[in-house]
Amino acid sequence: MTQQTEPSAARTRIRLPRGLARELFTLKRDPLPRMTRPRWLAWLPHVVLCYVAIPCGVLTGMQLNDHYKVFGSAVLGLSLMTSASVVLSMFRPIAAWWLGLVTAALTAWAIHDHVGHGQSWPWTPAGPLTLAPVILMVALRVPPRVTASVIGITLVLNGLADISLRPPQSQTIIGGVALLFGFVGILGYALRATRLARSELVEQETLTEEERARRTLLEERSRIARELHDVVAHHMSVISIQAQVAPHLVENPSEELKENLAGIRENALEALTELRRVLGVLRSEQPDDPATRQHPQPTLAELDCLVDNVRGAGLEVTTEIAGIRRPLTPGVELTAYRIVQEALSNALRHAPGSRVEVGVAYGPRDLHLCVANTAPTRPVPPSPGAGHGLLGMRERAGMLGGELAAGPRPDGGYEVSAVLPMDPQEQSAVPDPETKRAT
């Protein structure tokens, strides 16, 4: 086992330097990220870096002329290369660093024979300052180990040049260069870590919001299922009883009729048993929820009581009913009541002091609901809720094949309107595939 482990460890030690070498000798494009806030300053870092590139090149040329008495086309070339390395760092930071190193090496070679007593070499006095923005751009975009390698290679080359090629009368500034590049590297690492942490936080907040919406939707569906249990259970019980009584209402019923009716009753009882079993699971998840308690489900007949309760909480509510009021299917009654209830709760929570109008219109085939409130007249208190009440209302309306719309009004208020079919079985039936293809 020891002989097999040692080669594996050796391969690991070899793989890490190779990966680091690939990162140090890459020419891949790595654009500088834009600022996210404020948006109108998104390109500010790029503009600042372009302005920094100009004085870096000018300063290089001035020091070559004034301090080292170097003239000619070489000065122009080195100045342009200095500015180009700063600009290139916005797009390819590692390539810009290599270009900066080459520029520094060519500058040291150009001033080698012109260094006077006490003058710095291999850097000009402004040389480290012109390479510092490039190292900052590298530290902003690459992992810390690559930044450390970039600074280390730069300082090692500086030290080798000092040892082997430094003119006797020159002065070394490697200590100041190390402090400057170390500070720039730490600053870039801190800014990069902050940017990555902010990006991860935004991503996590997005995922959390999506998960909260998904959980709210599932909770609302479970609540709808619990509320509709009594409706479905009632109809299944009626079917079972009718199937049991039907043979006694017919004189001399045939055996086939008795068997069919007995099968209907048996299937109804089995379905009712399974429905109660599933409901037991749903109710066991939230035993303390008032919605899990067995009690008659509300209908539009209790709308006046609901409105009176909201009036008692401080809202001015008016109701208007149009059309011929008639009994609806239990599912439609329950859904309509819950939509009006949730809309009134939202108005009470988000529009204190407003006037609310509740409209119910019975059409030939659809039931129309509208709950509209004016702008609030008092400050809106902070709400600790998740703010997914509209999600539940849309889920209820969509379950019946209806539609729900909600949005602000021109006067600063809010309006919720819904259209529910009178016969949800016909409206929500799945169309035949052949019909879809024909249309």
Side-chain angles (χ1 to χ4, degrees), residues 348-359:
L348 189 63
R349 186 183 305 114
H350 302 294
S354 63
R355 296 189 307 275
V356 184
E357 298 177 357
V358 179

Side-chain angles (χ1 to χ4, degrees), residues 50-64:
C50 288
Y51 275 106
V52 169
I54 297 175
C56 284
V58 173
L59 192 59
T60 299
M62 291 177 59
Q63 292 201 341
L64 289 175

Side-chain angles (χ1 to χ4, degrees), residues 309-358:
N309 290 335
V310 176
R311 288 193 184 111
L315 281 185
E316 181 182 347
V317 185
T318 58
T319 60
E320 182 177 355
I321 299 177
I324 301 175
R325 190 167 187 172
R326 57 189 184 275
L328 307 174
T329 59
V332 176
E333 290 273 5
L334 175 60
T335 299
Y337 180 89
R338 291 302 188 195
I339 289 176
V340 175
Q341 182 186 41
E342 182 64 31
L344 289 175
S345 298
N346 288 343
L348 189 63
R349 186 183 305 114
H350 302 294
S354 63
R355 296 189 307 275
V356 184
E357 298 177 357
V358 179

Side-chain angles (χ1 to χ4, degrees), residues 52-181:
V52 169
I54 297 175
C56 284
V58 173
L59 192 59
T60 299
M62 291 177 59
Q63 292 201 341
L64 289 175
N65 289 330
D66 298 339
H67 292 270
Y68 298 94
K69 307 304 179 182
V70 177
F71 302 97
S73 59
V75 176
L76 177 61
L78 292 173
S79 300
L80 292 177
M81 290 176 65
T82 302
S83 298
S85 65
V86 177
V87 175
L88 183 62
S89 65
M90 290 190 297
F91 309 102
R92 289 179 169 85
I94 298 298
W97 168 67
W98 282 113
L99 179 59
L101 280 186
V102 171
T103 304
L106 293 176
T107 302
W109 176 75
I111 66 175
H112 184 273
D113 297 332
H114 300 268
V115 178
H117 181 74
Q119 290 184 321
S120 61
W121 191 91
W123 301 96
T124 64
L129 298 176
T130 60
L131 188 61
V134 178
I135 294 180
L136 177 62
M137 292 298 104
V138 171
L140 283 173
R141 319 239 275 292
V142 301
R145 63 170 187 166
V146 180
T147 302
S149 300
V150 165
I151 297 175
I153 291 174
T154 304
L155 296 179
V156 167
L157 293 177
N158 190 165
L160 292 176
D162 275 341
I163 294 172
S164 58
L165 300 174
R166 184 165 65 91
Q169 71 277 14
S170 64
Q171 179 183 2
T172 181
I173 57 172
I174 189 172
V177 171
L179 289 176
L180 175 62
F181 290 170

